[in-house]
Amino acid sequence: ASLHPGLLSPAGQVHDFPRKLVLPNFPLHFPPGRDTVSQVLPEQNTPPRKVPPPPPGVVKKVRIHHLHQMKAAGRPIAMITAYDAVMAGIADEGSADVILVGDSVGTTVHGFDTTLPVTLEMMIMHTQAVVRGSRRSLIVTDLPFMSYQVSEQQAIENAGRLMKEGGSSAVKLETSNDRTLPFIRAIVDSGIPVMGHIGLVPQSINQLGGYRVQGRDQADAGRLIELAHKVQEAGAFAIVLELIPSELAARITSELTIPTIGIGAGPETDGQVLVVNDVLGLTENAPRFSRKYVDLRAGVLRAVRKYTRDVREGHFPAEEHEFH
């Protein structure tokens, strides 16, 4: 059954969207000179979304059903990554609805070139830290590479460890094809909430041939729409859409009853997620779809340079830092 009959506009009107995908009617035809999804998908003739104010009284703890309510009300979901207690506390205080303990910790914290070397033990440790630092936000943790792809039994056991040992409220796993769909269903059937992830799936980076926008041609766009529906049918409570054309993300969002969280997928998804290092300006070459809200790297660099200069010139420690 649908979670709601349709999306609510700010005026309270219900907009019904198709619930089933019929690929033969998929309106992707490529006239001469128009060879991208953004040129082919029908225009979304909808006015700019007006964001309703937050509901009276902030919930003490964000739960999965709150995300469904936000989709129904048209109120965007704000998700951000965190990997330690300090940053989790800041994200929590900053009103993040969801904190993602992402396997991006491999590249942002541990210095790996990709997320592939990240282990389940690393994800458990970082999840424990995030849980200790947060109070309100919903905590979702990535299942790392090869921690769920072998079998349903492996997927259930490792998702369970993230919940039982890490303290997470839900897990997220990447889906590039139908093979992982039974794993989603098995994890959900065991009582563990699952967030899906399609589009650019970093754990399949070698198979995809690099960090490229997905779903730009007719075949791939149709594949992603169908895959999104299958992820929903497998029991996922939400789905991340990464690095796909805005028009395609808007269509998937309109057809699904579960919330969509975009990253490099345009403004029409039900929510957004960014890597905290990109938000804080700690990434030297941040992706184009991110936004730097403060240049923390430059500020930290100035502070460290001043500290090392003070030490070398004898200005630190000063008298007020001494004990007698």
Side-chain angles (χ1 to χ4, degrees):
S2 299
L3 291 170
H4 55 81
L7 294 184
L8 294 175
S9 72
Q13 298 173 321
V14 178
H15 300 281
D16 290 319
F17 295 110
R19 296 292 183 242
K20 294 182 180 179
L21 173 67
V22 184
L23 282 179
N25 295 327
F26 185 60
L28 286 182
H29 305 287
F30 291 80
R34 302 179 70 185
D35 57 358
T36 66
V37 167
S38 62
Q39 294 172 315
V40 173
L41 279 174
E43 294 183 1
Q44 305 293 318
N45 296 318
T46 55
R49 178 168 53 184
K50 296 179 181 179
V51 181
V58 179
V59 295
K60 292 182 179 180
K61 176 68 178 176
V62 178
R63 307 288 184 184
I64 289 171
H65 70 273
H66 292 131
L67 304 186
H68 294 156
Q69 291 170 358
M70 292 171 73
K71 177 182 177 79
R75 188 161 69 89
I77 299 163
M79 183 162 81
I80 193 168
T81 68
Y83 316 107
D84 58 63
V86 173
M87 199 55 65
I90 294 172
D92 196 90
E93 187 176 347
S95 298
D97 300 303
V98 184
I99 295 177
L100 173 65
V101 188
D103 59 358
S104 51
V105 67
T107 55
T108 58
V109 176
H110 293 274
F112 296 129
D113 292 331
T114 69
T115 64
L116 301 186
V118 175
T119 66
L120 185 69
E121 285 67 30
M122 291 166 63
M123 296 306 299
I124 290 172
M125 179 188 68
H126 286 286
T127 300
Q128 291 170 340
V130 168
V131 169
R132 286 192 291 265
S134 63
R135 295 292 180 270
R136 175 185 172 273
S137 304
L138 179 73
I139 309 300
V140 179
T141 303
D142 270 333
L143 277 163
F145 180 60
M146 294 310 297
S147 69
Y148 61 93
Q149 290 96 331
V150 175
S151 66
E152 292 182 18
Q153 184 67 28
Q154 181 208 35
I156 294 170
E157 290 178 353
N158 289 335
R161 289 191 63 191
L162 287 176
M163 300 282 285
K164 190 171 183 177
E165 299 174 39
S168 188
S169 299
V171 300
K172 181 171 76 67
L173 60 83
E174 298 178 4
T175 302
S176 58
N177 53 52
D178 290 358
R179 187 176 180 277
T180 55
L181 295 172
F183 303 155
I184 295 176
R185 171 55 64 190
I187 296 172
V188 171
D189 286 347
S190 70
I192 300 173
V194 173
M195 177 180 287
H197 183 156
I198 67 170
L200 189 282
V201 281
Q203 292 177 14
S204 300
I205 194 65
N206 292 320
Q207 192 175 42
L208 295 174
Y211 295 95
R212 301 176 179 178
V213 177
Q214 304 297 301
R216 272 184 160 160
D217 60 61
Q218 179 179 7
D220 203 31
R223 178 186 68 84
L224 289 175
I225 292 176
E226 185 175 18
L227 188 59
H229 280 265
K230 289 180 177 179
V231 169
Q232 175 177 269
E233 291 166 4
F237 71 87
I239 186 169
V240 170
L241 308 178
E242 180 167 358
L243 216 59
I244 67 174
S246 300
E247 299 82 1
L248 178 59
R251 175 164 179 171
I252 292 173
T253 299
S254 72
E255 293 187 3
L256 297 187
T257 59
I258 61 174
T260 60
I261 311 294
I263 177 167
E268 295 303 320
T269 52
D270 296 310
Q272 299 291 329
V273 59
L274 282 179
V275 173
V276 67
N277 292 47
D278 297 341
V279 171
L280 299 180
L282 293 172
T283 308
E284 290 192 72
N285 297 303
R288 174 179 164 226
F289 57 75
S290 66
R291 175 179 290 179
K292 180 168 64 176
Y293 284 83
V294 62
D295 193 352
L296 199 57
R297 187 181 187 280
V300 172
L301 183 59
R302 286 193 299 270
V304 173
R305 283 175 172 167
K306 189 173 189 311
Y307 161 71
T308 56
R309 184 172 63 248
D310 283 354
V311 169
R312 291 170 183 143
E313 296 176 356
H315 300 311
F316 180 85
E319 184 176 351
E320 61 268 25
H321 306 120
E322 296 185 53
F323 300 94
H324 300 286

